[in-house]
Amino acid sequence: MVTRKDIAEYAGVSKTTVTRVINNQGNVSQENIEKVSQAIKELEYCPNMVARGLKTKKTYQILFHAPALLNPFFVEIYTGMNEVAQQHGYHIVVSSNDDLKVIEQRQYDGVILSYIPIGHSQEEYKNSGVKLVATNYSTLDLEIPHLKVDIAHGITQALDYLYECGHRKIVLFSAQFAYDQRIDAYKKWLQAKQLPFQSDLYHTDYIGKTTYEQGYNSGILFVENGLIATAILAFNDAMAIGMLAAFKRKGIRVPEDISLIGFDDITQAKYTDPPLTTVSNSLYQIGKESAQMLISKINNETVSTKVIKTELVIRNSVAKINI
Amino acid sequence: MVTRKDIAEYAGVSKTTVTRVINNQGNVSQENIEKVSQAIKELEYCPNMVARGLKTKKTYQILFHAPALLNPFFVEIYTGMNEVAQQHGYHIVVSSNDDLKVIEQRQYDGVILSYIPIGHSQEEYKNSGVKLVATNYSTLDLEIPHLKVDIAHGITQALDYLYECGHRKIVLFSAQFAYDQRIDAYKKWLQAKQLPFQSDLYHTDYIGKTTYEQGYNSGILFVENGLIATAILAFNDAMAIGMLAAFKRKGIRVPEDISLIGFDDITQAKYTDPPLTTVSNSLYQIGKESAQMLISKINNETVSTKVIKTELVIRNSVAKINI
DNA sequence: ATGAAAGCGCTAACAG
DNA sequence: CTGTTAGCGCTTTCAT
């Protein structure tokens, strides 16, 4: 390994001078700049960021704390994040490891939270002293600056659309694992439309997992219990896609027999049969912005929570029905 | 930040002793072990891996060099990799950055290659001196130890199955971006079956991208040019899923009008309509094994190329037809 | 404009 | 069993 020392000797200057030209801090003669540059090129020197990190306390590494990358949802966010991180010279490592110690151990410059693991609190993260930002958060009481998706708005958009299409019996799939704005938004909307709230018209039958598989299982169950509604608002696209498969399996046609709306607009949503009507979350954009937010924070700029607007993407999984 | 020095002072021992108990190297009295452990707990000390890395030249970081995580294919591999990496205390960072310098800069302990970027050669990687392993490689001339998927075998399995189902006109989708075993395997198989080789029965119309979108476009084109075959062997599942959408759009039924086989068996393949018959690659397993392989190599064990067996997963996208 | 020296937090001889 | 010392590769005062 060739170090700054080698360059210094080769160029006949001091190590300090080498540092100065590498980080172009000025105060070095044109002649020396050239000698050093030449040496660097010839010896193929490249700075050791570990050593630098030890000294400067900056590793140029960011931790993305996500439950499971296998969920396409997170992959799209990650992809956006990664793009801006790269532009700023940061590497991102993804971890679903609940151990907060790694943050200090590995000296991450900052962390992006996409969830707070069970058994941990936002206080713990805050106390750890790292630069912190949350992404795609929808819970109300988060003090950490974050990108807030206005899920309530998205739900309302979807519900309105369903209403326009003539639907009056709509099942909402929510989640048990956390407080979910969906339910409140749903109730509020029902009230506004003067529709009755029937508890069997929303489901919280699954815990934590919002996957294809879970959607499939929920779909099967839903059919077997008798179609109690004309439309479903799924927790997310992955689940909606699983349901699509379940309905197909059970001989239930979408949208003829039941209408279905997803959430997130992941890439595949365009390629399902029928193409999935869904609420777009701008996942990629969210990823980019949250990385930008964290990097700003690392640079000691002040950042504040920002609301992301959702958008209804109309494809073919919802039917107009007669009222 | 609390360091080893703080622990030493708090426990009334030397820094070396602290090191010894942390890395339990023995040669420490029971009494001191307890004093140090106590101090660590009370001061909430945790070792700084950057400093350690500088000294030991081990960062416990692995680079996964993959073109795009958005491709579900890579995500599944990554997930497997990540699991075993975690078990061994490694973090993985994914990068599609072509710059080999980061390997030295960031002092990665090893890198897993899923492709060699255009303009680079395996020699370059080898010369860089890092521990190296390749994953899911199918080209023939790779000297780096790797997990080799026997694509030829997979193709043959798929082709055989199609043949059994009565298909004689089969389109193979290959890729332009690299030498692809598929074509050779296809030709060889045709010969064995004494079927004529028709150049219009394989396509290499797309470059590099093997995505949903590309599959969709290819599917549309394929239909518009007139169905010249009864079955398609797609490059991978992502493309097959895109094609499924295209056929649906064009009113072509799968498998009634055309049969379709994918490659990889990604998670969604189970949830398409119809569920996709495909060749399983054991992506998750590949990920796990390649990480294991690299870690062994990092530990200076000798590792060698290993062939992964493919498996035909029969679902419902292939029809039996009359010969 | 240049260099010497100290030190980031850790490990690894070496000496006791 | 324990501690002293040097040093990993880099940055940063502080002199010159």
Side-chain angles (χ1 to χ4, degrees):
Chain A
M1 161 171 254
V2 23
T3 73
R4 239 168 66 285
K5 187 172 168 241
D6 301 314
I7 302 296
E9 284 169 6
Y10 191 91
V13 298
S14 75
K15 298 187 250 167
T16 313
T17 303
V18 177
T19 295
R20 282 199 259 262
V21 353
I22 288 172
N23 301 343
N24 48 96
Q25 295 164 315
N27 284 340
V28 48
S29 68
Q30 191 56 37
E31 190 196 343
N32 277 343
I33 291 185
E34 270 155 30
K35 275 200 278 184
V36 170
S37 308
Q38 189 61 23
I40 289 177
K41 201 175 295 174
E42 288 185 18
L43 269 48
E44 295 184 343
Y45 167 77
C46 91
N48 180 330
M49 290 189 67
V50 176
R52 179 182 289 174
L54 175 60
K55 182 68 187 175
T56 61
K57 262 81 193 82
K58 276 211 67 171
T59 55
Y60 282 92
Q61 298 207 125
I62 289 174
L63 187 68
F64 178 34
H65 202 359
L69 219 49
L70 256 187
N71 189 330
F73 175 85
F74 290 109
V75 179
E76 305 211 5
I77 292 181
Y78 168 81
T79 304
M81 268 171 31
N82 211 26
E83 185 153 309
V84 349
Q86 192 136 314
Q87 284 165 11
H88 295 260
Y90 287 84
H91 272 194
I92 294 182
V93 359
V94 185
S95 164
S96 57
N97 194 335
D98 295 345
D99 196 355
L100 300 198
K101 278 210 165 158
V102 306
I103 299 171
E104 197 184 346
Q105 268 185 181
R106 303 236 180 202
Q107 300 272 294
Y108 285 107
D109 290 344
V111 2
I112 302 181
L113 248 37
S114 75
Y115 77 122
I116 294 178
I118 296 169
H120 293 272
S121 65
Q122 56 173 316
E123 275 68 33
E124 272 181 273
Y125 281 93
K126 286 174 69 178
N127 292 340
S128 79
V130 251
K131 306 289 183 166
L132 212 50
V133 138
T135 190
N136 196 58
Y137 242 82
S138 53
T139 47
L140 298 169
D141 58 343
L142 197 69
E143 295 161 38
I144 302 163
H146 61 285
L147 253 2
K148 186 201 225 53
V149 178
D150 195 347
I151 289 194
H153 182 238
I155 293 290
T156 307
Q157 285 175 302
L159 254 12
D160 280 344
Y161 176 64
L162 253 14
Y163 191 90
E164 281 169 33
C165 293
H167 296 277
R168 295 296 178 269
K169 296 243 176 196
I170 303 168
V171 171
L172 171 78
F173 272 81
S174 175
Q176 277 184 336
F177 58 82
Y179 163 72
D180 185 5
Q181 287 188 284
R182 287 165 171 79
I183 300 172
D184 280 355
Y186 176 63
K187 287 184 183 170
K188 207 171 282 178
W189 181 84
L190 287 175
Q191 233 165 9
K193 295 291 182 202
Q194 300 193 310
L195 292 171
F197 173 74
Q198 295 170 256
S199 62
D200 56 348
L201 283 183
Y202 75 95
H203 281 219
T204 56
D205 292 353
Y206 51 93
I207 311 165
K209 287 184 184 165
T210 54
T211 56
Y212 298 116
E213 192 183 358
Q214 193 60 247
Y216 182 86
N217 294 338
S218 301
I220 294 289
L221 225 68
F222 186 74
V223 175
E224 287 177 351
N225 288 339
L227 264 44
I228 56 170
T230 62
I232 294 177
L233 197 46
F235 185 83
N236 63 15
D237 288 348
M239 284 199 68
I241 291 172
M243 285 185 184
L244 237 28
F247 293 155
K248 188 79 194 177
R249 170 73 174 277
K250 285 291 192 180
I252 304 292
R253 295 163 305 163
V254 175
E256 292 83 353
D257 301 327
I258 185 117
S259 290
L260 181 60
I261 294 191
F263 210 101
D264 292 342
D265 194 25
I266 62 178
T267 310
Q268 296 102 287
K270 218 185 303 188
Y271 301 107
T272 55
D273 174 36
L276 192 66
T277 292
T278 188
V279 178
S280 167
N281 230 336
S282 316
L283 262 16
Y284 180 76
Q285 192 58 29
I286 286 180
K288 284 177 80 165
E289 293 206 33
S290 47
Q292 187 54 66
M293 207 162 175
L294 180 61
I295 291 170
S296 297
K297 205 167 175 196
I298 289 173
N299 296 331
N300 291 316
E301 296 160 27
T302 49
V303 299
S304 46
T305 291
K306 188 169 170 180
V307 175
I308 299 286
K309 269 183 283 186
T310 58
E311 209 173 312
L312 186 67
V313 180
I314 297 177
R315 291 198 268 253
N316 303 318
S317 60
V318 171
K320 289 200 196 310
I321 63 173
N322 296 327
I323 309 176
Chain B
M1 160 171 255
V2 22
T3 73
R4 239 167 66 287
K5 185 170 168 245
D6 301 314
I7 302 296
E9 284 169 6
Y10 191 91
V13 297
S14 77
K15 297 188 249 164
T16 313
T17 303
V18 177
T19 295
R20 281 199 260 261
V21 354
I22 288 171
N23 301 343
N24 46 97
Q25 296 165 315
N27 285 341
V28 176
S29 67
Q30 192 55 38
E31 191 197 341
N32 276 343
I33 291 186
E34 271 156 30
K35 276 200 279 185
V36 170
S37 308
Q38 189 60 24
I40 289 176
K41 201 176 296 175
E42 289 184 20
L43 269 49
E44 296 185 341
Y45 167 76
C46 92
N48 180 329
M49 291 189 66
V50 176
R52 179 183 289 175
L54 176 59
K55 181 66 187 176
T56 62
K57 261 84 194 81
K58 276 211 66 169
T59 54
Y60 282 92
Q61 298 206 126
I62 289 174
L63 187 69
F64 178 34
H65 202 0
L69 220 46
L70 257 187
N71 189 331
F73 175 85
F74 289 109
V75 180
E76 306 211 5
I77 292 180
Y78 167 81
T79 304
M81 267 171 31
N82 210 27
E83 185 153 307
V84 348
Q86 193 135 314
Q87 283 164 11
H88 294 261
Y90 286 85
H91 272 193
I92 294 182
V93 359
V94 186
S95 164
S96 56
N97 194 333
D98 294 345
D99 195 355
L100 300 199
K101 277 211 167 159
V102 305
I103 299 172
E104 196 183 347
Q105 268 185 180
R106 302 236 181 203
Q107 299 272 294
Y108 285 107
D109 290 342
V111 2
I112 302 181
L113 247 38
S114 75
Y115 77 121
I116 294 176
I118 297 170
H120 293 273
S121 64
Q122 55 173 316
E123 275 68 35
E124 272 181 274
Y125 281 91
K126 287 174 68 178
N127 292 341
S128 78
V130 251
K131 307 288 181 166
L132 212 51
V133 137
T135 191
N136 195 59
Y137 242 82
S138 52
T139 46
L140 298 168
D141 57 344
L142 197 69
E143 295 160 38
I144 301 163
H146 61 286
L147 253 2
K148 186 201 224 54
V149 178
D150 194 348
I151 290 192
H153 182 238
I155 293 289
T156 308
Q157 285 174 302
L159 253 13
D160 280 344
Y161 175 64
L162 252 15
Y163 192 90
E164 281 169 33
C165 292
H167 295 277
R168 295 296 179 269
K169 294 247 177 194
I170 303 168
V171 171
L172 172 77
F173 271 80
S174 175
Q176 276 186 336
F177 59 85
Y179 163 72
D180 185 4
Q181 287 188 285
R182 287 165 171 79
I183 299 171
D184 280 355
Y186 176 61
K187 286 184 183 170
K188 208 171 282 178
W189 181 85
L190 286 175
Q191 235 166 8
K193 294 291 182 202
Q194 300 195 307
L195 291 171
F197 174 75
Q198 294 171 254
S199 62
D200 56 349
L201 283 185
Y202 74 96
H203 281 218
T204 56
D205 292 353
Y206 51 95
I207 311 165
K209 286 186 185 163
T210 55
T211 57
Y212 298 115
E213 192 184 359
Q214 193 59 248
Y216 182 86
N217 295 339
S218 301
I220 294 289
L221 226 68
F222 187 74
V223 175
E224 285 177 353
N225 290 339
L227 263 45
I228 56 169
T230 63
I232 294 178
L233 196 46
F235 185 84
N236 63 14
D237 288 347
M239 283 198 68
I241 291 172
M243 284 186 184
L244 237 28
F247 294 154
K248 188 80 192 177
R249 169 72 175 278
K250 285 292 193 180
I252 303 292
R253 294 163 306 163
V254 175
E256 293 83 353
D257 300 327
I258 186 115
S259 291
L260 181 60
I261 294 191
F263 209 101
D264 291 341
D265 194 25
I266 62 178
T267 309
Q268 297 103 287
K270 217 184 303 189
Y271 301 106
T272 55
D273 175 35
L276 192 65
T277 292
T278 187
V279 178
S280 167
N281 230 334
S282 316
L283 262 15
Y284 181 76
Q285 192 59 29
I286 286 179
K288 285 177 81 164
E289 293 206 33
S290 47
Q292 187 53 66
M293 206 162 174
L294 180 60
I295 291 170
S296 297
K297 204 166 176 196
I298 290 173
N299 296 331
N300 291 315
E301 297 160 28
T302 48
V303 298
S304 47
T305 292
K306 188 170 170 181
V307 176
I308 299 286
K309 268 183 284 187
T310 58
E311 209 172 311
L312 186 67
V313 180
I314 297 177
R315 291 196 269 254
N316 303 316
S317 61
V318 172
K320 289 201 196 310
I321 64 172
N322 296 326
I323 308 174

